[in-house]
Amino acid sequence: MLNKKTVDDFNASGRRVLVRCDFNVPLKAGEITDETRIVAALPTIKKLIADGGKVILCSHLGKVKNGPNEGESLAPVAKRLSEKLGKEVTFVSDYNVTGADATAAVEAMQPGDVVLLQNTRFRGAEETKNGEAFSKELADLCDDYVCDAFGSSHRAHASVAGVTEFVRAKGGNCAVGYLMQKEIDFLGNAVNNPVRPFVAILGGAKVADKLNVISNLLEKCDTLIIGGGMAYTFLKAQGYEIGTSLCDDSKLDYCKEMMAKAEQLGKKLLLPVDTVVTAAFPNPIDAEIATEVYASTEIPADKMGMDIGPKTQALYAEAVKSAKTVVWNGPMGVFENPTLAAGTIAVAKSLAETDATTIIGGGDSAAAVNQLGFGDKMSHISTGGGASLEFLEGKDLPGVVAADDK
């Protein structure tokens, strides 16, 4: 899965190249509030323009639960892209995505031109049977296909994987873009071929979300660090009182199995030794709140664990110091609250100060690292939450598998 054809492996000159991007950007009153994903797509787009390709872009935006609507149109993206590229991006506003308007716009293209199709989710469920017709229509618009949407690569959708079958059938290239290649290089190699010692840090609320990740990483890493809400299920599995802390009682046996697995494999599994507790969950989430610190083995029955304590911060920072590769997915506590962000900040800081290759596995941990101002200190911040989790689980991602091997 790691050795894929890239945009550097074929010449796009004069060819129609369909690029699946991740333009699922946040919008407020029709204005883009964070353009990170647009900026991330530019290197691949610019390379294809420079080659003299006819560049056709597609992406989803939002969940589109109530059918096509202007609030989830890609029109604002076309506008921002035009500014970033310094040239007009022709936007096909047709809700059908691949209809007569799209065909006409593509037929009128000259080498170096860029067209953006409408939100792919306006066509309905891309992953269902009607996705096959959509896949074929997308393929009819192009000669070659490039997937550069890592954040969607874990979905076997028409515009992610389905289209490749029809492009390949007519002799076209199916490659990955620079963004996808970077994700494969960092995440893929971290899990399959890490420079050791390899430390994995998992946080977030639920054990259930990370069942397979915990099991897979225990086999790959040297030290597995657990923080966030899911640590309390592990502590309860050891027989300790966790008060009113978040806990998934149905996963207690699983946590026992994982602790036994770590011991059997000779891996270090680190759990919090002290905990920051509150009387209740902050409401609103960023409200001022009174906290106390207790040993993780002595959480009062009427208190709720909210963050790792200072001793745990030091313990986790020490584990990171000797690492050569670190993967981190999930915050250490309720980082949205300034008082309860200390654990997440401490871990981010320890990663920022190490010489190791540091990889942030998308989602909340990516948001936390960026919000806390450590983004530029990390080797790689993944652009896909769900996709990076599935990569860390060891799963094959449809969007990656569908690209041609070198």
Side-chain angles (χ1 to χ4, degrees), residues 10 24 51-52 54 57 83-84 92 94 106 148 150 166 172 185 189 191 196 210 218 282 286 320 357 362:
F10 73 97
N24 187 23
D51 281 354
K54 300 172 181 179
L57 308 174
E83 293 163 8
K84 294 275 175 203
V92 180
D94 177 11
V106 171
D148 211 21
F150 181 72
F166 296 99
D185 287 348
N189 287 323
V191 175
R196 298 189 181 277
K210 311 233 164 114
L218 268 180
D286 57 354
V320 166
T357 298

Side-chain angles (χ1 to χ4, degrees), residues 55-74:
V55 188
I56 307 151
L57 308 174
C58 69
S59 173
H60 78 283
L61 173 65
K63 301 258 192 258
V64 192
K65 286 184 172 161
N66 303 313
N69 65 90
E70 279 308 293
E72 289 173 302
S73 164
L74 282 172

Side-chain angles (χ1 to χ4, degrees), residues 43-378:
T44 296
I45 298 168
K46 285 177 174 173
K47 154 76 174 152
L48 294 168
I49 292 171
D51 281 354
K54 300 172 181 179
V55 188
I56 307 151
L57 308 174
C58 69
S59 173
H60 78 283
L61 173 65
K63 301 258 192 258
V64 192
K65 286 184 172 161
N66 303 313
N69 65 90
E70 279 308 293
E72 289 173 302
S73 164
L74 282 172
V77 174
K79 182 168 170 260
R80 187 65 59 91
L81 264 175
S82 298
E83 293 163 8
K84 294 275 175 203
L85 293 169
K87 64 184 297 163
E88 192 198 344
V89 172
T90 303
F91 179 57
V92 180
S93 58
D94 177 11
Y95 285 180
N96 189 48
V97 188
T98 52
D101 290 358
T103 305
V106 171
E107 276 174 3
M109 291 178 86
Q110 298 298 314
D113 283 356
V114 183
V115 163
L116 174 62
L117 303 179
Q118 185 55 280
N119 188 341
T120 56
R121 291 209 176 149
F122 283 6
R123 275 293 290 263
E126 270 199 80
E127 71 281 12
T128 57
K129 196 67 188 156
N130 65 8
E132 195 166 328
F134 187 28
S135 296
K136 186 174 185 320
E137 287 166 33
L138 285 167
D140 287 344
L141 290 174
C142 69
D143 303 306
D144 303 303
Y145 171 79
V146 172
C147 185
D148 211 21
F150 181 72
S152 300
S153 65
H154 59 313
R155 305 187 190 284
H157 286 180
S159 64
V160 175
V163 60
T164 59
E165 180 190 328
F166 296 99
V167 170
R168 201 174 282 116
K170 58 183 184 179
N173 296 286
C174 295
V176 296
Y178 291 133
L179 186 61
M180 280 282 279
Q181 186 57 45
K182 196 176 175 212
E183 296 278 9
I184 292 168
D185 287 348
F186 275 99
L187 276 171
N189 287 323
V191 175
N192 294 304
N193 191 23
V195 181
R196 298 189 181 277
F198 172 27
V199 174
I201 306 169
L202 292 178
K206 298 180 189 146
V207 174
D209 293 345
K210 311 233 164 114
L211 288 179
N212 299 327
V213 183
I214 295 167
S215 187
N216 190 47
L217 285 179
L218 268 180
E219 288 167 21
K220 313 274 189 182
C221 71
D222 301 295
T223 301
L224 179 62
I225 293 174
I226 303 279
M230 63 188 212
Y232 304 107
T233 307
F234 276 89
L235 291 168
K236 187 170 179 179
Q238 288 181 313
Y240 297 121
E241 169 66 62
I242 59 162
T244 58
S245 306
L246 199 63
C247 182
D248 186 346
D249 285 326
S250 68
K251 297 291 178 281
L252 291 170
D253 286 341
Y254 174 83
C255 290
K256 286 176 189 167
E257 278 170 38
M258 289 304 107
M259 289 185 280
K261 181 174 181 171
E263 198 169 334
Q264 182 196 335
L265 294 173
K267 305 295 175 79
K268 272 190 194 160
L269 176 64
L270 299 182
L271 291 166
V273 292
D274 60 346
T275 300
V276 175
V277 303
T278 64
F281 199 86
N283 184 20
I285 200 162
D286 57 354
E288 273 189 44
I289 194 158
T291 62
E292 297 169 276
V293 178
Y294 283 89
S296 295
T297 54
E298 295 167 9
I299 297 171
D302 61 343
K303 301 284 184 191
M304 182 181 276
M306 287 287 174
D307 191 15
I308 57 172
K311 286 181 182 166
T312 306
Q313 291 170 26
L315 175 73
Y316 290 2
E318 193 58 38
V320 166
K321 244 181 217 163
S322 59
K324 289 281 183 281
T325 306
V326 185
V327 172
W328 177 21
N329 184 286
M332 295 293 102
V334 186
F335 77 97
E336 300 90 342
N337 185 297
T339 313
L340 304 171
T344 303
I345 291 170
V347 169
K349 196 165 176 292
S350 69
L351 265 66
E353 288 169 357
T354 179
D355 295 330
T357 298
T358 49
I359 300 155
I360 311 302
D364 278 348
S365 29
V369 164
N370 285 324
Q371 276 173 34
L372 300 169
F374 292 104
D376 60 341
K377 302 280 196 301
M378 305 300 158

